[in-house]
Amino acid sequence: GAGVSQSPSNKVTEKGKDVELRCDPISGHTALYWYRQSLGQGLEFLIYFQGNSAPDKSGLPSDRFSAERTGGSVSTLTIQRTQQEDSAVYLCASSPLARGDTQYFGPGTRLTVL
Amino acid sequence: QQQVKQSPQSLIVQKGGISIINCAYENTAFDYFPWYQQFPGKGPALLIAIRPDVSEKKEGRFTISFNKSAKQFSLHIMDSQPGDSATYFCAAPYNNNDMRFGAGTRLTVKP
């Protein structure tokens, strides 16, 4: 069956521009997560959705970062006024439930800010 | 702020050897402790997980050992193969709802 998909796979942007990253979770999965992975680094938690609400936004690094989820499905991560330090791979994962359940990851979006 | 401490950061093992990666956690909101495997250019994928009503779970060459009193668990890879070369992440409960990942261990298995 279809897994988690993310688009675009690669995004190159200029400093100061806004970007939108999209995640299509596995159908029926209620939980959705965004992570950031800098080159050779670990998984930095950004935000978690349960349905359309975000009980945990504690990982968003600044107010330039925001995310939404609509219809309990697609999620968009928006980064405003991008900075070079935002360059990383942004990973999305979905899960049938939240606690105690497997997270299924997408392939990621590689963001490069020039 | 780190809730899940993973070690070592990197590990080099000869083919056929045993790879051991350790994790320590703080939160015990619920009992589910997975290990994920990530190859370059790919997203992480679940490798093996334990719900610690048992202290050990084995799947093929991969074993999770769990010490609930010490709040520690480890991944053992027996007969390590070059194809096992990847980055491994543990994860543990963060609060009542979700989980956090360790910083990752880059495993290299030399032929």
Side-chain angles (χ1 to χ4, degrees):
Chain A
V4 177
S5 61
Q6 292 186 245
S7 60
S9 55
N10 281 284
K11 176 72 176 178
V12 180
T13 190
E14 294 180 347
K15 177 181 174 180
K17 301 281 190 182
D18 298 351
V19 296
E20 286 189 352
L21 312 180
R22 177 185 169 108
C23 173
D24 284 85
I26 294 173
S27 178
H29 281 194
T30 60
L32 187 147
Y33 307 80
W34 284 99
Y35 297 90
R36 179 167 70 175
Q37 187 172 33
S38 300
L39 186 63
Q41 300 300 308
L43 299 170
E44 178 188 4
F45 169 82
L46 297 178
I47 187 169
Y48 147 65
F49 287 92
Q50 185 67 27
N52 291 335
S53 64
D56 190 349
K57 306 178 183 180
S58 62
L60 294 177
S62 74
D63 59 8
R64 295 187 296 105
F65 288 71
S66 62
E68 65 174 10
R69 189 180 185 194
T70 56
S73 181
V74 172
S75 177
T76 302
L77 176 69
T78 301
I79 308 174
Q80 295 178 310
R81 304 181 303 281
T82 51
Q83 304 295 311
Q84 289 183 332
E85 61 262 28
D86 299 334
S87 296
V89 175
Y90 289 82
L91 289 160
C92 172
S94 72
S95 175
L97 301 172
R99 51 186 291 163
D101 216 338
T102 302
Q103 294 186 23
Y104 296 85
F105 283 82
T109 293
R110 181 175 296 278
L111 174 66
T112 303
V113 182
L114 301 177
Chain B
Q1 190 179 6
Q2 186 180 14
Q3 292 86 24
V4 183
K5 296 182 180 180
Q6 183 174 342
S7 63
Q9 188 174 12
S10 64
L11 181 62
I12 300 174
V13 175
Q14 290 294 129
K15 178 182 176 181
I18 302 174
S19 304
I20 302 175
I21 306 171
N22 301 298
C23 243
Y25 64 96
E26 298 176 1
N27 192 290
T28 59
F30 56 92
D31 287 340
Y32 177 70
F33 298 88
W35 285 91
Y36 285 77
Q37 180 187 54
Q38 184 181 31
F39 293 105
K42 306 289 186 183
L46 179 70
L47 179 65
I48 186 173
I50 192 169
R51 297 185 190 274
D53 47 351
V54 296
S55 60
E56 185 174 283
K57 181 174 181 180
K58 184 176 181 179
E59 290 184 357
R61 296 184 294 108
F62 302 92
T63 299
I64 297 179
S65 297
F66 192 87
N67 186 330
K68 193 167 186 176
S69 61
K71 295 186 179 179
Q72 295 176 349
F73 60 111
S74 60
L75 174 69
H76 295 236
I77 307 174
M78 310 301 287
D79 188 26
S80 299
Q81 299 297 311
D84 298 331
S85 297
T87 300
Y88 293 81
F89 295 94
C90 62
Y94 171 65
N95 53 29
N96 284 334
N97 292 303
D98 64 347
M99 312 188 69
R100 291 294 184 270
F101 286 81
T105 296
R106 179 172 292 182
L107 172 65
T108 302
V109 180
K110 293 198 166 184

